[in-house]
Each structure stands twice: as structure tokens, then as C-alpha cells.
């Protein structure tokens, strides 16, 4: 059984606050509950928390929320059914150390639920936000089962964390890059930091970087965004962001990294290819004159195979 002293020790090792360390541990219990449920193949775990859990592990940024996407089995069902499948699962009794609660929820947009959640446990209480999105299109590369990267507190569990459904690494980073494009005016640097961490701390394989280059225009198009045009990333500046928004989520706080260096290193990685558009997907993001089926054809040509399977959006 995990104790409050265990949380304090983990927080000190990770160089974050106790509340952040406690949430990290509690959310691992939540993922285990989902992994062993009847809907384990119907929701995808994604976003910043998934990047930490599955890609960066101890070196990743802590996250204050969790993001899920409902897979195709839910398509055609109304939002109440999506809510019932996942939100009620959170509140169901389970044979573990944590009790989760849904304090409130609302429709944050078409097909999206935003829930304020809390939990109680022997190692302390806390709260977090959970977003559930009803996917309009499946992940471009499909999904994969992935086991959380081992962290120091795993030795305290009486279980081994189970695999959970998530997206491929390159697609997760393409979503981050599209989020940077979409959120360039809100001053939140979390997506910038996550993408930089992937490049600088994870040493991604060449094939994953190549996939990112080709995926990001498609992600932009599928998100319905209007491309900002050539040089949009070249104009990104460290001063455009409020880096203190990361203060609680990064080990050691803002003093542990240099924002200007982060931006400079990302530009070295990205500027060479960010505006290349051989299949005219970025330009079409302005008009959306192409259909989803046409975009699907481009994707099939761009990414011919993944694990010997043809890729299809429709």
C-alpha cells in the first residue's frame, strides 16, 4: 500500500510538488482500471499525460489533466453514451487504493466532454480534469497497445501496469505540432515543451521523425485549421509564451530550462521541412476544397505501409 511518505519521497526525487506527484500516481491507478475494463479497446489515451506515461517517462513534463478519444465503436452513438461508458467507469468501485469521483462535467464543444474529477486515497486526495472527445476520424496510423514506462513508484504497486490503447509516437507529436499552430496566441508553452522534450530527451528514431514531417499537414487539415502560411514557425519567439505556466509541471521549475534555447533547438529541427507541401495539403487547409477521401489517397501514397498494413482514414 502506498503511503503519504512514499508520495513525499517520489516528489523529492522528481523535483515537483507533492500534489503533482500524487496525481501522477493516482492516474496510474485510473489507467489500470480502464485497461482492465470492457471499454479498454474503445478509448484512446492521448495528450501530454500519455506522452509522459508512454514516451518520456521520468524525464517528461507532468500533466494536470488526462485526454481520451472515443474510438469508432462509439460513432453514431450520442454524447450521453460516450459519457456513460467512460465517466461512469471512473466512479465504479474497484479493488484498488483509489476512489475516483466525477464532480461536474459539461459539453466543451461538439462531441467533447470536459469533466472535473477528484479522488481520495490512503496517500492523499486530489483533483484533475478529464477530456473525452468523440473522434470524427480514426488515428491516421491506427492505434497500438503500449505499457507505461517504468517509474520509481511502480515498485510500490501490487500490480504490474497493463498496456493501454494509444496512438503511435509520430502521430502524437504531429498532434502537438498542430496544437502549437492552433494555440499560438494563448501563451501556453506546454505543446512547445513536449515537442522539444521528444526531440531532445527521447532521441526519436529517424523513421518516426520522417513520419512526423509527413503527418503534420494531414493533422492540420483534419483539425479544420487554416494554415498560417510559410514562415509561421520561424516567427515563433520565446517571449510569446508564459513559461511560468509550466512551473509546477516541470521538475525543478522554470529555472531548470532555458526558453530561448528550447525555441532555438526546435527551429533547428523543424524549419527545414515545416513549410514543405509536396502534396498541397497545407495549401488546401485554407480552402478545404479536397474531400476526406482525396486526403486519404494522399496519405496512402505518403505513408505506404505501417507494420505491413495499408493506411486508411475512411
Amino acid at each position: 500500500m502506498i503511503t503519504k511518505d512514499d508520495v513525499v519521497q517520489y516528489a523529492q526525487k522528481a523535483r515537483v510538488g507533492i500534489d503533482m506527484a500524487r496525481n501522477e500516481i493516482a492516474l496510474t491507478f485510473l489507467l489500470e482500471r480502464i485497461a482492465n475494463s470492457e471499454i479498454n479497446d474503445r478509448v484512446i489515451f492521448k495528450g501530454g499525460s500519455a506522452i509522459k506515461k508512454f514516451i518520456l517517462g521520468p524525464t517528461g513534463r507532468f500533466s494536470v489533466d488526462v485526454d481520451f478519444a472515443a474510438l469508432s465503436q462509439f460513432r453514431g452513438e450520442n454524447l450521453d453514451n460516450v459519457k456513460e461508458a467512460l465517466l461512469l467507469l471512473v466512479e465504479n468501485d474497484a479493488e484498488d487504493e483509489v476512489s475516483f469521483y466525477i464532480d461536474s462535467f459539461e459539453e466543451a464543444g461538439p462531441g467533447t466532454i470536459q469533466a472535473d474529477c477528484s479522488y481520495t486515497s490512503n496517500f492523499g486526495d486530489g483533483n484533475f480534469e478529464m477530456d473525452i472527445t468523440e473522434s470524427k476520424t480514426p488515428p491516421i496510423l491506427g492505434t497500438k497497445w503500449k505499457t507505461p514506462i517504468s517509474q520509481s513508484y511502480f515498485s510500490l504497486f501490487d500490480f504490474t501496469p497493463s498496456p493501454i490503447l494509444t496512438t503511435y509516437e509520430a502521430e502524437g507529436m504531429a498532434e502537438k505540432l498542430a496544437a502549437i499552430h492552433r494555440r499560438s496566441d494563448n501563451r501556453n508553452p506546454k505543446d512547445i515543451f513536449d515537442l522539444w522534450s521528444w526531440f531532445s530527451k527521447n532521441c526519436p528514431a529517424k523513421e518516426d521523425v520522417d513520419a512526423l514531417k509527413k503527418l503534420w499537414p494531414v493533422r492540420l487539415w483534419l483539425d479544420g485549421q487554416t494554415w498560417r502560411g510559410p514562415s509561421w514557425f520561424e516567427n515563433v519567439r520565446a517571449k510569446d509564451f508564459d513559461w511560468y505556466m509550466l512551473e509546477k509541471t516541470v521538475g525543478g521549475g522554470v529555472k531548470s530550462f532555458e526558453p530561448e534555447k528550447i525555441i532555438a533547438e526546435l527551429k533547428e529541427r523543424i524549419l527545414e521541412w515545416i513549410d514543405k507541401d509536396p502534396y498541397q495539403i497545407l495549401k488546401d487547409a485554407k480552402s478545404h476544397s479536397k474531400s476526406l477521401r482525396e486526403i486519404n489517397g494522399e496519405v496512402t501514397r505518403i505513408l505506404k505501409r505501417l507494420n505491413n498494413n495499408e493506411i486508411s482514414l475512411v
Side-chain angles (χ1 to χ4, degrees):
M1 180 176 293
I2 299 176
T3 67
K4 292 181 179 180
D5 287 341
D6 293 326
V7 176
V8 170
Q9 290 179 19
Y10 172 57
Q12 291 174 343
K13 184 173 183 179
R15 301 170 66 202
V16 295
I18 293 175
D19 55 341
M20 198 64 61
R22 184 169 50 239
N23 272 17
E24 165 70 19
I25 296 172
L27 292 178
T28 305
F29 279 96
L30 177 61
L31 291 180
E32 185 66 14
R33 187 179 297 186
I34 293 171
N36 289 282
S37 74
E38 294 181 354
I39 66 166
N40 64 356
D41 61 346
R42 298 163 70 185
V43 290
I44 311 169
F45 181 43
K46 56 191 298 186
S49 292
I51 289 173
K52 178 172 179 58
K53 294 286 191 185
F54 297 137
I55 299 176
L56 297 176
T59 66
R61 173 184 64 88
F62 286 74
S63 183
V64 296
D65 54 23
V66 287
D67 298 314
F68 294 95
L71 271 174
S72 58
Q73 288 92 331
F74 283 140
R75 295 169 78 181
E77 299 182 29
N78 61 35
L79 197 59
D80 286 339
N81 289 342
V82 180
K83 175 190 67 181
E84 182 178 355
L86 186 53
L87 296 193
L88 292 185
L89 169 68
V90 172
E91 290 205 300
N92 284 346
D93 291 334
E95 296 180 0
D96 57 35
E97 300 179 37
V98 187
S99 295
F100 293 96
Y101 307 95
I102 306 296
D103 300 321
S104 65
F105 61 86
E106 63 178 356
E107 288 192 38
T112 299
I113 283 180
Q114 190 173 80
D116 291 323
C117 307
S118 60
Y119 62 88
T120 59
S121 71
N122 289 327
F123 54 86
D125 307 337
N127 53 73
F128 60 96
E129 182 181 288
M130 179 166 62
D131 291 345
I132 309 168
T133 303
E134 189 175 10
S135 295
K136 296 180 180 179
T137 58
I140 301 167
L141 299 182
T143 58
K144 66 185 298 185
W145 294 94
K146 198 162 184 179
T147 303
I149 294 174
S150 180
Q151 298 205 55
S152 59
Y153 63 85
F154 279 20
S155 62
L156 303 172
F157 293 148
D158 59 3
F159 63 88
T160 300
S162 305
I164 194 165
L165 208 58
T166 187
T167 57
Y168 279 82
E169 194 167 307
E171 184 155 2
M173 292 305 124
E175 290 183 350
K176 281 292 175 181
L177 188 49
I180 294 169
H181 183 277
R182 182 176 66 251
R183 298 171 179 167
S184 61
D185 296 330
N186 74 355
R187 294 183 57 78
N188 193 331
K190 66 177 183 178
D191 300 306
I192 286 275
F193 191 87
D194 288 344
L195 189 60
W196 169 77
S197 296
W198 183 66
F199 277 118
S200 65
K201 300 177 182 179
N202 190 57
C203 299
K206 181 180 182 300
E207 53 266 31
D208 285 326
V209 177
D210 289 342
L212 167 61
K213 295 176 183 179
K214 298 166 184 174
L215 279 172
W216 107 267
V218 181
R219 187 70 267 162
L220 193 77
W221 192 97
L222 290 175
D223 285 353
Q225 295 191 52
T226 298
W227 181 43
R228 293 179 180 271
S231 303
W232 75 270
F233 198 86
E234 187 174 1
N235 292 326
V236 172
R237 300 288 185 268
K239 65 181 182 180
D240 297 334
F241 301 93
D242 180 2
W243 295 92
Y244 281 94
M245 297 178 77
L246 299 178
E247 180 69 19
K248 294 183 178 180
T249 65
V250 177
V254 174
K255 294 181 180 179
S256 66
F257 60 84
E258 302 175 55
E260 291 80 7
K261 181 179 179 181
I262 288 175
I263 297 297
E265 290 183 356
L266 261 184
K267 287 182 177 180
E268 287 182 8
R269 295 277 193 170
I270 289 175
L271 286 182
E272 181 182 354
W273 50 266
I274 191 69
D275 293 326
K276 291 183 178 179
D277 192 25
Y279 297 93
Q280 302 299 297
I281 297 175
L282 288 174
K283 289 183 179 179
D284 190 69
K286 291 185 176 181
S287 62
H288 271 66
S289 61
K290 292 183 179 180
S291 67
L292 179 60
R293 190 170 297 278
E294 288 175 305
I295 292 295
N296 175 51
E298 302 294 0
V299 172
T300 302
R301 285 188 284 273
I302 293 170
L303 303 169
K304 189 64 177 177
R305 291 190 182 92
L306 180 72
N307 294 338
N308 298 319
N309 293 320
E310 290 293 321
I311 297 166
S312 179
L313 290 174
V314 293

